[in-house]
Amino acid sequence: MTVRIGTRASKLALTQTQQTADQLAAVGGFPVELVHIKSDGDVLTGSLSQMGGTGVFVAALRDALLRNECDVAIHSLKDLPTGLAVGLSLAATPRRVDVRDVLCARDGLKLAELPRNAKVGTGSPRRAAQLRSARPDLDIVDIRGNVDTRLGRVPGLPGNPTTEVVTGKSCDLDAVVLAAAGLERINRLDAVTEFLDTDIMLPAAGQGSLAIECRTADAPPRAGSAEGSREVLAQALAALDDPDTRLAVTAERALLARLEAGCAAPVGAYAYRKGSLLHLEAVVCAVDGTASVRDKRATDGLTEVGATLLGIELAEVLLAAGAADIADLQAS
């Protein structure tokens, strides 16, 4: 049996998919092959938030699974919509890596050191809102492209192929903000000038995590469910699942679902287990950075049900504090 693993063809997607494929093959003892799937997000241009947010990268992979063009799909979990996909299951959440966002700036500058009106690029409304809150004087520029393309917008960063200033293409920004996890996976952490503390910028729900999705009939059985499989693929997927990561992302995604927050809504959420408690902190921001509501809660219910209830509880707290009034939570 060869397990076909669906992936987007970007450098980051291929890298994280190959790493996961190697782990699956080692655990399951079966050969694997990568199947390249092209999504609308890879083809269309324009603002990502106007195209439906990061969820546009997921739809084509899900369709490929349902059409039996691949057996497993690997996503960045922060791209995965909170709504259920009929016939598919989140089969594994491997151990999470660094959740933080990072600043990659010219001349080694940190966020506090950027000059007034410095141009900072990001395609994320969540990052843009929190940047504007921390530094209202910055000029936030909406950008698209893969990791190398974004880093190429900042002059002097290690690994950049050119020093030519071309507006909209290369060396025309003072800094960009990206996820530490993505840079780590493609060995570009040398471009980071500051790891942004979660006090300044809460990550996207699921950031730093991967999602391994498959058809429900092929997935490991979940507690209390008769659906699933006990075949070798399911056993390998179960072995890659990290329980603490699953608890954390379950809480974060439950919060998003209760807020009814779309992919482009300016919401940050971060959950983590510490001892006998699961902690969750979240923020909802106005896109212009002028207002926000932020709070945190914890639970000793270390089950998926407990994590879900924690996310719902914190969402209710944020809604009661006016989250829906300051942000377009339904932004697609």
Side-chain angles (χ1 to χ4, degrees):
M1 176 185 71
T2 297
V3 174
R4 301 162 300 163
I5 301 180
T7 178
R8 293 169 53 218
S10 72
K11 180 179 179 180
L12 175 57
L14 287 172
T15 299
Q16 64 192 24
T17 299
Q18 188 63 64
Q19 292 169 351
T20 306
D22 291 344
Q23 293 173 341
L24 269 177
V27 171
F30 43 68
V32 296
E33 67 171 308
L34 267 54
V35 179
H36 295 191
I37 307 295
K38 186 171 288 188
S39 74
D40 285 347
D42 299 311
V43 176
L44 301 176
T45 59
S47 172
L48 186 60
S49 62
Q50 296 302 314
M51 290 166 49
T54 52
V56 298
F57 297 123
V58 172
L61 284 167
R62 284 180 159 176
D63 288 345
L65 277 172
L66 292 171
R67 291 194 302 265
N68 197 29
E69 295 173 5
C70 58
D71 305 302
V72 170
I74 311 296
H75 312 281
S76 291
L77 204 148
K78 66 184 178 66
D79 294 346
L80 204 64
T82 56
L84 294 175
V86 177
L88 302 180
S89 291
L90 178 53
T93 53
R95 183 178 295 275
R96 193 176 210 172
V97 297
D98 198 331
V99 304
R100 291 174 294 178
D101 290 298
V102 294
L103 184 77
C104 303
R106 63 174 176 82
D107 305 321
L109 295 173
K110 299 187 184 326
L111 182 61
E113 299 166 345
L114 288 170
R116 185 176 181 83
N117 298 320
K119 294 183 181 297
V120 181
T122 176
S124 160
R126 172 191 60 83
R127 289 176 180 147
Q130 293 183 88
L131 282 170
R132 291 183 177 113
S133 178
R135 286 287 308 270
D137 58 299
L138 296 177
D139 180 6
I140 308 301
V141 180
D142 186 42
I143 61 173
R144 284 286 315 277
N146 61 36
V147 173
D148 287 328
T149 298
R150 294 181 187 218
L151 291 175
R153 301 287 296 270
V154 182
L157 294 183
N160 281 357
T162 182
T163 58
E164 182 182 6
V165 178
V166 179
T167 301
K169 285 195 172 183
S170 64
C171 301
D172 62 332
L173 301 177
D174 296 290
V176 293
V177 177
L178 298 166
L183 294 179
E184 180 180 353
R185 287 177 179 130
I186 64 169
N187 296 315
R188 291 296 305 268
L189 282 177
D190 56 351
V192 175
T193 57
E194 183 179 8
F195 289 83
L196 298 173
D197 192 274
T198 55
D199 289 342
I200 295 173
M201 185 168 294
L202 276 176
Q207 187 161 308
S209 305
L210 295 180
I212 307 180
E213 201 168 33
C214 70
R215 290 178 291 276
T216 299
D218 299 327
R222 306 303 303 171
S225 173
E227 291 185 299
S229 168
R230 300 192 182 276
E231 298 297 325
V232 63
L233 174 58
Q235 293 178 31
L237 290 167
L240 263 58
D241 192 59
D242 179 66
D244 285 352
T245 297
R246 185 174 282 271
L247 285 177
V249 301
T250 295
E252 294 165 7
R253 288 164 59 77
L255 176 131
L256 284 189
R258 176 61 191 94
L259 291 175
E260 298 181 355
C263 295
V267 178
Y270 175 40
Y272 59 93
R273 180 177 175 178
K274 186 174 182 180
S276 62
L277 294 177
L278 179 66
H279 299 262
L280 174 62
E281 185 169 7
V283 65
V284 177
C285 307
V287 174
D288 62 7
T290 58
S292 66
V293 291
R294 181 170 180 148
D295 215 320
K296 54 188 173 184
R297 290 291 187 275
T299 183
D300 60 0
L302 301 180
T303 64
E304 288 190 53
V305 171
T308 299
L309 292 174
L310 175 64
I312 293 171
E313 177 190 1
L314 184 53
E316 295 286 2
V317 170
L318 297 175
L319 289 169
D325 297 325
I326 68 167
D328 179 10
L329 293 177
Q330 282 72 47
S332 62

